[in-house]
Each structure stands twice: as C-alpha cells, then as structure tokens.
Amino acid sequence: MQILTFRLKPKQLFGAALAITGLAVIILTFVSNHNGKPVGASASISCASEEERSAYLASLGYEFEEKPEVKEIEIPAEFNDVYSSYSDIQKEQGFNLEGYKGKKATLYTYKIKNYKNNKNVIADLMVCDGILIGADLCDPSAENGFLTGLTQNGQT
C-alpha cells in the first residue's frame, strides 16, 4: 500500500483557495445572467390585464381615457436607424428591446389628458407575454410632435 502526500506552503494553499473562489463567482455570475429570459425582463412590470396597465399609468401620474387602442405588432429582427433611436429611449427607462427582436407584441395606446395642457399626447405600452417591454409618450401632430420616454413625466 502506498500513501500519497502533498505538502503545500501557506501561499500555495491561499492561491488555490482564491482560484477556486474566483471560478465559483464566475460560474454563478454567468448562470444568474443567462437564465433564459429576454434582456430587460429582470425588472418586469406585469401588464397582462387592463387593470395592471391602468394602474401603471396612474402610478406615473397620468390621467387617460379608459379605452385604449390595441394593435398587434412585430418588433423588427433588424433595427433600422429609427428603431435604434427608439430602442435607445427604451434603454434610458430600463427597457431593452434587443432580446425581443423578431417577436410579436401588443401595443396599447392611451390618450393622455394631463400632459402640459397638450391634448394630443398619447402613451404607448408595448407588452409581450403580459410583461411591459417598452413605453413612450408622444404627440403625433405635425405642429407639436415629440417622442419621449413614458417615465419622463411632464404633466401639469
């Protein structure tokens, strides 16, 4: 019978423990960041029902007409310049459309009643699988047109 013995100096033992700990941190970080959810879904806001969508808009201080316009959309698989700019606006408010490229979503459009005395403003909520993935405020009129993030609240 043979006995195999290892003799490690304290510096070598510390180095091995540090390497194992580092490897464990890297693996845990990778697993937690790649859990199968699309990008932007980690801080999910449920908007599956009309009550949830209305509560979300109200929580931001908006008054709106109760009946939204509903439209099915498909997020482009490749973003052009316009959609890239729109995606940047979404990223500023914590949404990321990159993980939803090529997917279908529902766009809920609400007429906003209390945005800086402007009666042409609408709020769009983009929902995929019951989760809010994008939102904006805009005035589609040619005279006062603008597009901004929904969370950049400017009502009076």
Side-chain angles (χ1 to χ4, degrees):
M1 180 159 96
Q2 291 184 352
I3 298 176
L4 190 58
T5 309
F6 290 101
R7 191 173 223 108
L8 294 176
K9 295 179 184 175
K11 285 183 181 180
Q12 292 172 327
L13 186 59
F14 179 72
L18 192 59
I20 290 170
T21 303
L23 186 59
V25 168
I26 290 170
I27 290 170
L28 288 173
T29 302
F30 180 79
V31 169
S32 68
N33 287 335
H34 295 85
N35 59 6
K37 288 184 182 178
V39 176
S42 60
S44 60
I45 299 169
S46 180
C47 281
S49 68
E50 184 57 39
E51 291 79 23
E52 290 175 328
R53 291 185 294 275
S54 294
Y56 178 68
L57 284 173
S59 74
L60 296 173
Y62 294 110
E63 296 172 11
F64 50 93
E65 290 184 5
E66 294 296 321
K67 187 75 175 155
E69 180 183 324
V70 181
K71 182 171 40 171
E72 296 299 316
I73 62 169
E74 185 171 332
I75 299 166
E78 294 294 324
F79 290 172
N80 60 18
D81 290 341
V82 173
Y83 226 95
S84 290
S85 295
Y86 183 75
S87 180
D88 290 342
I89 291 171
Q90 299 310 312
K91 286 178 185 175
E92 289 174 12
Q93 18 179 36
F95 300 114
N96 190 340
L97 297 177
E98 295 291 326
Y100 296 95
K101 286 181 173 180
K103 294 193 177 201
K104 293 190 184 301
T106 305
L107 188 66
Y108 297 91
T109 302
Y110 295 85
K111 185 164 177 50
I112 299 298
K113 298 178 181 179
N114 64 330
Y115 187 87
K116 297 182 181 180
N117 298 321
N118 185 336
K119 301 301 179 197
N120 295 320
V121 175
I122 59 174
D124 290 317
L125 302 180
M126 191 181 306
V127 179
C128 184
D129 297 327
I131 302 298
L132 185 65
I133 63 169
D136 66 79
L137 277 179
C138 68
D139 181 346
S141 70
E143 184 178 315
N144 299 316
F146 68 87
L147 178 85
T148 186
L150 182 64
T151 58
Q152 297 169 351
N153 195 333
Q155 76 270 5
T156 54

